[in-house]
Amino acid sequence: MRREASGPELADHTFRNATDLLADRVHTAPDHVAFGLRTDEGLLDVSTRGFDAACRDLAKGLIAQGLQPGDRVAVMAPTRYAWALADLATWLAGGVVVPVYETSSPDQVAATLAGTTPVLALAGGPEHRDALTDAGAASVWTMDAGSRDLAALVASGREVPDAEVERRRRLAGPDDLATIVHTSGTTARQKAAHITHGNLVGVVQAVRQAWPEVVHEDAVTIIALPLAHILARGLQLAALGAGMKVVHEGDRTRVVGAFAQVRPTFMVVVPQLLEKIRQAGRDRANDARLGPVFRAAETTAVAWGRHLEAAQHDPAARPTRRLALAHAFFDRLFFRRLRRLMGDRVEWLLSGAAPLDPTLAHFFRGIGVPVIEGYGLTETTAPATGLRPGDLRAGSVGTPIPGTTIRIADDGEVLVRGVGVTPGYEDARDGEDAFVDGFFRTGDLGSLDEAGRLRIHGRRKNLIVTASGKNVAPEPWEAAVTRSPLVAHAVLVGEARSHLTAVLLLDPDAVRRWAERSGNPDVLPLLAGDPPPGGRRLDHPALLARLQRPVDRANAAVSRAEQARAFVALVADTTASSPFVTPTLKLQRDAFLSAASTHIETLYTT
């Protein structure tokens, strides 16, 4: 088994800082559409020249307010066009961007500001302004209209000369700090990672080199991920540098509806959105009394996806006549409708930020929308590896991007060295054990196949050591169970225990739909009211029987020592304000398991 794999050399080293990407596009294609603003009348196009002018005007305002080169600017807002303006304008003025997740709790906002000391803050609306002000921000301006909005900030900088903006734009080099991004904090406290201009430019160039079929100036994408996340901002820069048209959608509930208006050719998604698209197809089929037919269509799509994967490297591979006929039939009945739901132009989806169920990857490929899975962390400036068109392997996160090397340590930890790797953290103590032999320690366990493709097996800190000394990585079992639309999070437990059990944290909306459609209305009262801090147990027999099915499937896929012998089903607060959820809506395992300890104990005493 391979222990190290490297991507090709990075071909382009012409840009010194992130603003060079914009300057290059202004020079080569000033009138090309860079952004689309969604309005009630449709999409309002913004040219590269227009975006650059707006960024420079905002940069003048920042300079007029006293921003000095190297000063930090906090940005707390939902994903929107003004976020892109704030990002580039801060860099044009010589500043450093400190993103704050709009879902952050007051304590998290205060910790972010205290740890990074921004001199100025840009807020989305009044609620974000108040959160930043309460956390100690001294100078806060809003993207929404008001007395201290972006228009007023721009007006304050009218006397700043153009030459001063251009002078500051050129100050930063590859090793200079561009942004400070906080890690998700699923297994430990958040860390403030330094991302340099060289990191950003290097990853953008690597993405363009690795995926020219995806990232090009005729492409259109929707950015729905939080722009406080480095993956979304990296995508935005890559799109800006390549000329891809970007449309923002900050409301996750409206993303599916945005497809029809925007008609993207490509989109970065999280597995949860893919599940919602598939579930939308199921719901429509159920409403038309075609539920069993759609289930047969799903099976066909997965089989077709597997056939296409096998055919990539075997030109002689042919589907059976039965599969080909079934796929053609279901394509007319269902698949083309699902493609239409996504705007009917999507050529590629890139899935990141969480593990993707291989069956889901095969399903989307089978309906005609292939999924590229990638892997990366905040500290690698998002992508470190990714699958390539022509070599899509469900369950793999692909080969290293150009300029990056992946090594597997003796204990299975994934190590990364390359263009996107952070030089360190705001708190130097966070980096004391972060590197070995020049490689960043990801904390993930993985392996490389014979072609250098990476597979991720779980987190080192999540390993469960049972009383018998068995080391169990819980992620494969948990991922299998969360394929059920009823389960928002699955957590395998059993540290120092004789056997494993599990906590299933349910999606209340999905449970309500199931209860109404399955004829179990007596479940609905169990969902009423706010659950207690440790979660409310749902012991309804029909619901537990329904949940037993994904548990049984997960158990069948692992060894006996890795199986859960019992489980408890809970509903709990998993909103952005919950102490169990990170700003990126991932579960904080230790905090949740501590709060649910009483429920867990019953699994070992009854």
Side-chain angles (χ1 to χ4, degrees), residues 486 503-512 514-515 522-529 531-532 534-545 547 567-572 599:
L486 299 179
V503 179
L504 307 188
L505 192 52
L506 306 186
D507 181 332
D509 292 336
V511 173
R512 287 189 187 94
W514 171 83
D522 50 336
V523 172
L524 300 178
L526 302 177
L527 300 171
R536 179 186 300 133
R537 187 165 180 158
L538 301 185
D539 281 334
H540 189 277
L543 177 61
L544 294 179
L547 293 170
F567 68 88
V568 59
L570 303 178
V571 287
H599 298 299

Side-chain angles (χ1 to χ4, degrees), residues 100 132 187 190 204 229 265 283 361 433 440 442 505 514:
V100 183
L132 290 165
T187 58
Q190 289 184 298
V204 165
H229 196 295
T265 62
D283 291 343
D433 195 36
F440 175 72
T442 67
L505 192 52
W514 171 83

Side-chain angles (χ1 to χ4, degrees), residues 40-363:
D40 293 338
E41 291 74 33
L43 289 176
L44 176 64
D45 289 341
V46 178
S47 69
T48 307
R49 190 202 313 266
F51 176 69
D52 178 67
C55 290
R56 288 175 180 268
D57 286 344
L58 184 55
K60 291 179 181 180
L62 296 173
I63 294 170
Q65 293 303 313
L67 186 75
Q68 296 298 317
D71 282 350
R72 284 86 182 276
V73 175
V75 182
M76 183 181 187
T79 294
R80 57 194 293 183
Y81 172 70
W83 220 121
L85 288 175
D87 223 5
L88 269 296
T90 300
W91 290 330
L92 286 170
V96 175
V97 180
V98 180
V100 183
Y101 284 98
E102 60 157 331
T103 56
S104 296
S105 68
D107 287 346
Q108 289 169 330
V109 178
T112 297
L113 298 193
T116 56
T117 60
V119 302
L120 187 146
L122 302 177
E127 69 277 19
H128 308 111
R129 176 199 63 208
D130 293 345
L132 290 165
T133 301
D134 292 345
S139 178
V140 184
W141 302 75
T142 62
M143 298 173 184
D144 288 352
S147 60
R148 286 174 59 86
D149 59 11
L150 295 190
L153 182 56
V154 167
S156 74
R158 286 175 180 161
E159 301 303 318
V160 176
D162 293 341
E164 176 60 12
V165 176
E166 184 62 18
R167 183 187 75 83
R168 292 197 180 198
R169 184 190 80 76
R170 296 174 179 273
L171 289 177
D175 296 331
D176 288 312
L177 187 60
T179 185
I180 301 172
V181 184
H182 286 76
T183 60
S184 63
T186 54
T187 58
R189 67 176 180 83
Q190 289 184 298
K191 301 176 182 178
H194 283 185
I195 304 297
T196 66
H197 282 276
N199 291 146
L200 291 170
V201 169
V203 167
V204 165
Q205 297 299 83
V207 166
R208 292 177 62 180
Q209 182 175 327
W211 292 283
E213 310 94 325
V214 179
V215 183
H216 52 82
E217 65 176 19
D218 294 323
V220 179
T221 189
I222 299 172
I223 295 183
L225 297 173
L227 278 169
H229 196 295
I230 193 62
L231 175 59
R233 288 168 71 212
L235 167 64
Q236 183 165 263
L237 269 180
L240 186 63
M244 179 187 290
K245 181 178 177 179
V246 173
V247 180
H248 298 95
E249 177 51 76
D251 185 345
R252 296 187 183 189
T253 65
R254 297 173 51 188
V255 174
V256 175
F259 279 115
Q261 182 186 28
V262 179
R263 302 189 66 221
T265 62
F266 162 73
M267 189 169 172
V268 174
V269 298
V270 294
Q272 185 182 41
L273 178 59
L274 297 181
E275 285 285 6
K276 285 187 176 182
I277 294 171
R278 181 168 65 174
Q279 188 61 44
R282 289 171 176 166
D283 291 343
R284 293 186 181 188
N286 287 330
D287 292 342
R289 300 180 183 275
L290 292 173
V293 183
F294 188 80
R295 286 193 290 274
E298 285 189 66
T299 300
T300 298
V302 172
W304 191 257
R306 288 173 175 154
H307 155 67
L308 293 177
E309 182 174 300
Q312 290 175 143
H313 302 290
D314 182 6
R318 295 287 185 274
T320 65
R321 177 175 174 78
R322 180 176 181 179
L323 176 59
L325 290 173
H327 184 266
F329 172 73
F330 287 127
D331 188 72
R332 291 192 298 272
L333 186 61
F334 291 123
F335 302 160
R336 64 178 57 176
R337 288 183 169 88
L338 285 173
R339 294 195 298 271
R340 198 173 301 131
L341 182 68
M342 291 183 280
D344 214 22
R345 282 204 311 170
V346 175
E347 299 172 347
W348 306 97
L349 294 171
L350 191 151
S351 179
L356 177 66
D357 170 18
T359 301
L360 193 60
H362 284 133
F363 170 80

